[in-house]
Amino acid sequence: MIRRYYATKDNSITNAYEENLTTRGTGSNMGASDVLEVFSIYGQESSTSSELMRTIIQFDTAELIADRAAGKVPASGSVSWYLKMFNAPHSQTVPSDFNLIVSAVSSSWEEGYGLDMDYYEDLTKDVIGSNWIRRTGSTSWTSAGGDYHASPTFTQTFSTGLEDMELDVS
């Protein structure tokens, strides 16, 4: 039996430098975007600089718990869970031969309404939405970039950078 559960909210958060290579876009929010991005850029601002973008996703666990109680989902330990995401083709260069590590987010967060993934101008202004610094409009992450469980982690290798993701997160 296959059951599908869809994300109820998602966002991409970043500490990337803005075009001026001086200011970081840590206050930006991309919660309303129809595309999720992840990236790492090294050495753009200086030889030791690093810029990251992470994707955070939430699923409705109440629906899953109700389905398990109704017998629509097998008991714990006898079911496999897969995270499936699809590549959005575009004209920009993509990295190849890299690993993507998936961890569970350990704090609640707000999605937000931002769209700008180029200039990071859709700032949450600490009102609504998560960003690199804040998980909600007024509450910071414990660690900048998001709060995550240390284990378990799940890894998928991307050879060409154009693959879809199908990751067993059981």
Side-chain angles (χ1 to χ4, degrees):
M1 167 199 323
I2 296 175
R3 293 203 52 88
R4 295 178 198 262
Y5 295 92
Y6 297 93
T8 54
K9 64 182 179 180
D10 57 55
N11 194 2
S12 295
I13 58 175
T14 189
N15 73 346
Y17 282 100
E18 295 177 6
E19 209 169 16
N20 64 17
L21 293 181
T22 302
T23 308
R24 288 194 182 255
T26 56
S28 62
N29 177 287
M30 289 148 263
S33 177
D34 57 352
V35 175
L36 298 169
E37 285 191 31
V38 291
F39 63 70
S40 300
I41 302 171
Y42 298 99
Q44 178 170 264
E45 183 273 335
S46 70
S47 62
T48 59
S49 69
S50 67
E51 302 169 61
L52 306 172
M53 180 171 279
R54 294 185 175 143
T55 294
I56 51 179
I57 304 169
Q58 180 173 306
F59 294 88
D60 182 359
T61 55
E63 179 184 5
L64 182 144
I65 290 166
D67 284 353
R68 179 163 276 158
K72 295 178 183 177
V73 175
S76 181
S78 60
V79 64
S80 296
W81 302 100
Y82 288 88
L83 176 62
K84 294 180 76 169
M85 298 180 74
F86 300 94
N87 180 45
H90 52 79
S91 62
Q92 297 178 344
T93 303
V94 297
S96 60
D97 193 27
F98 67 93
N99 292 327
L100 183 67
I101 300 169
V102 174
S103 301
V105 178
S106 61
S107 297
S108 61
W109 51 277
E110 294 174 334
E111 184 173 40
Y113 303 106
L115 290 170
D116 180 21
M117 299 183 99
D118 293 318
Y119 301 105
Y120 312 117
E121 294 176 334
D122 289 339
L123 301 178
T124 60
K125 306 253 189 249
D126 298 331
V127 178
I128 295 176
S130 52
N131 58 43
W132 193 261
I133 305 299
R134 305 240 185 224
R135 61 187 182 91
T136 68
S138 60
T139 306
S140 296
W141 296 104
T142 302
S143 301
D147 299 336
Y148 305 92
H149 292 287
S151 65
T153 61
F154 307 92
T155 304
Q156 180 165 332
T157 300
F158 292 83
S159 300
T160 68
L162 301 173
E163 298 91 343
D164 294 334
M165 179 177 15
E166 184 168 338
L167 186 59
D168 184 347
V169 294
S170 302

